[in-house]
């Protein structure tokens, strides 16, 4: 496998759009000590050591795939109807072998034949219908929000047909990501919303092996419907994964931003590699209900004042690129980009243009201050989350650059829970946040739909800046009814231009997905050359990755 090193060219990633992560800082650079990492010789060639789950401080035996505090491996035991690559929205049929849209209000899924639960019982369309009935009766389990779109579900032979509440073409992907559970076991559960499911039975490639509060293992499901594609015999997931462990423990797969990744992870083993693709746009999210951020001239002034190259360099150590202002993640979504938008949407620094935009809003430079119509210096408080070190570096760079033209920028960094509460309730001036994901419609819907624009003080799950424009809502509604790809492209272009021109979020740089790999046992990891899936080892992405990996001792080829 070819190492993917730091580069300036665009690499081929939450929150969809909140793709930042807490940095792992290993201050070994410049020291004479060489950190080394070798595979544990007691672990067999068919066994993967994976840094994917964390105890708090120990593991709770919770494999209910519908609970937010479940064990990570729950999503390798239970499977969705569709696998979707968060990088570009590419869909791979999974438990649904075929999906069609007879019209904009109907999703018809053919349920795959020959799939078994790990206890030997067949997986059937009845299980699929049961699962959707289950999450309807227990809304807290509907993690993807499927029933926000579904009216009724019916079985027709080996088909499950979803009748939608309205014209709603994008609902197909939301429905398809719902995890399916066995009716013959779950129908006996008294309270699915609290059930810990300690002995899980699923359709996925692995079953639960040995379990302790400090470590658990997974064993290959020999009756898996894609068993011939799974070269991994066992997985081991330790509970304690501190920053040094990530580099030194001999992991085959880990997920973390590491400062100086080449000098730490890369130097620790000749077979270590990494891939940090873009997973979302990190940007400044103005509260559009507050002055002066409700003035487009002010937003334009801020956008033009910033040097995104320097911000990206400071925030990500050069691993990720400056982001465009369309909300698209490039090059993942290059084919979706409106070619009429200049420079792929990247806004270059133009201090004179910034000052001209501020002047239209009534702000002029007086000495070293940018002063408004009220005679007061323009002051901005930017909210970020404590512990997100790349975000903090980005905000500090923004503060320096805006300070250079006379804006007083303050930084507020509560704990992540406080940050989430503040943006959900609209209790901020400007926040560092995100936009964009692999599903173009969902990215624009969550960013621009006025239905999410709750009054300040009331919680919302999206559109934290409270953008509202009836004409944009109409575009989103048109997309929900559009089955023709050409019509979807037209609407995508229109929405790209809305984000580019109106700046509901001021894009800065791409947040990354932080895939760390070791090739000594397994090859076939996703990479810039083969971006078949995001490199994350959580949620549903590993299901596809596991089918691509090959054992080195059985002739697996390097990429």
């Amino acid at each position: 496998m070819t190492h993917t090193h730091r580069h300036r060219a665009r690499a081929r990633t939450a929150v969809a759009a909140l793709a930042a992560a807490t940095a792992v800082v290993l201050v070994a650079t410049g020291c004479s000590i060489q950190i080394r990492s070798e595979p544990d010789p007691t672990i067999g060639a068919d066994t993967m050591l994976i840094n994917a789950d964390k105890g708090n401080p120990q593991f709770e035996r919770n494999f209910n795939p519908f609970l937010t505090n479940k064990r990570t491996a729950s999503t390798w035991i239970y499977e969705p109807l569709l696998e979707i690559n968060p990088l570009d929205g590419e869909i791979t049929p999974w438990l649904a072998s075929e999906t069609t849209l007879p019209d904009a209000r109907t999703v018809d899924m053919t349920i795959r034949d020959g799939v078994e639960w790990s206890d030997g019982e067949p997986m059937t369309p009845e299980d699929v219908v049961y699962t959707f009935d289950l999450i309807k009766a227990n809304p807290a389990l509907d993690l993807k929000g499927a029933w926000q779109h579904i009216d009724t579900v019916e079985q027709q032979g080996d088909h499950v047909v979803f009748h939608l509440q309205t014209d709603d073409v994008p609902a197909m992907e939301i429905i398809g990501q719902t995890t399916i559970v066995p009716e013959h076991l779950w129908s006996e559960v008294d309270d699915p919303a609290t059930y810990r499911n300690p002995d899980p039975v699923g359709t996925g490639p692995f079953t639960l092996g040995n379990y302790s509060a400090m470590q658990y293992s997974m064993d290959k499901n020999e009756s898996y419907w894609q068993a011939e594609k799974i070269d991994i015999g066992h997985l081991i997931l330790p509970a304690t994964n501190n920053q040094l462990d990530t580099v030194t423990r001999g992991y085959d797969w880990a997920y973390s931003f590491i400062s100086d990744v080449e000098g730490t992870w890369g130097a620790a083993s000749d077979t270590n590699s990494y891939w940090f693709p873009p997973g979302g746009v990190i940007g400044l999210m103005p509260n559009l209900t507050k002055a002066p951020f409700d003035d487009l001239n002010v937003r334009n002034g801020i956008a033009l004042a910033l040097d995104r190259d320097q911000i990206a360099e400071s925030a990500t150590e050069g691993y990720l690129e400056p982001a465009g202002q369309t909300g698209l993640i490039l090059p993942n979504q290059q084919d979706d980009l409106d070619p009429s938008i200049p420079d792929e949407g990247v806004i270059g620094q133009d201090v004179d243009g910034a000052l001209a935009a501020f002047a239209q809003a009534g702000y002029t430079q007086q000495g070293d201050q940018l002063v408004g119509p009220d005679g007061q210096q323009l002051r901005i408080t930017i909210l970020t989350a404590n512990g997100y070190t790349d975000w903090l570096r980005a905000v500090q760079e923004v503060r320096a650059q805006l300070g250079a033209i006379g804006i007083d920028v303050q930084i507020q960094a509560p704990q992540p829970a406080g940050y989430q509460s503040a943006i959900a309730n609209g209790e901020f001036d400007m926040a560092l946040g995100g936009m964009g994901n692999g599903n173009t419609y969902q990215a624009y819907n969550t960013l621009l739909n006025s239905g999410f624009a709750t009054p300040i003080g009331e919680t919302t799950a999206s559109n934290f800046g409270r953008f509202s424009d009836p004409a944009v809502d109409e575009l989103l509604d048109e997309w929900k009814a559009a089955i023709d790809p050409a019509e979807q492209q037209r609407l995508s272009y229109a929405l790209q231009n809305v984000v580019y021109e109106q700046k509901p979020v001021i894009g800065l740089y791409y947040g990354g997905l932080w895939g760390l790999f070791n090739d000594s046992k397994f090859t076939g990891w996703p990479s810039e050359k083969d971006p078949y899936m995001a490199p994350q080892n959580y949620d549903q992405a590993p299901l596809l990755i596991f089918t691509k990996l090959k054992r080195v001792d059985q002739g697996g080829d390097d990429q």
Side-chain angles (χ1 to χ4, degrees), residues 14-89:
V15 185
L18 303 183
T22 317
V24 174
V25 183
L26 296 173
V27 196
T29 309
C31 299
S32 59
I33 299 173
Q34 176 65 59
I35 297 175
R36 296 295 297 172
S37 173
E38 298 294 340
D40 186 337
T42 67
I43 299 176
D46 69 341
T47 300
M48 178 182 292
L49 184 65
I50 182 168
N51 181 349
D53 206 349
K54 290 178 173 60
N56 190 29
Q58 298 181 336
F59 285 136
E60 178 192 7
R61 188 164 176 154
N62 177 5
F63 290 91
N64 183 332
F66 301 118
L67 299 187
T68 56
N69 60 339
K70 59 184 174 289
R71 298 273 58 81
T72 295
S74 301
T75 50
W76 314 339
I77 297 172
Y78 297 96
E79 298 185 295
L81 297 163
L82 304 172
E83 271 280 275
I84 301 177
N85 186 347
L87 293 175
D88 56 13

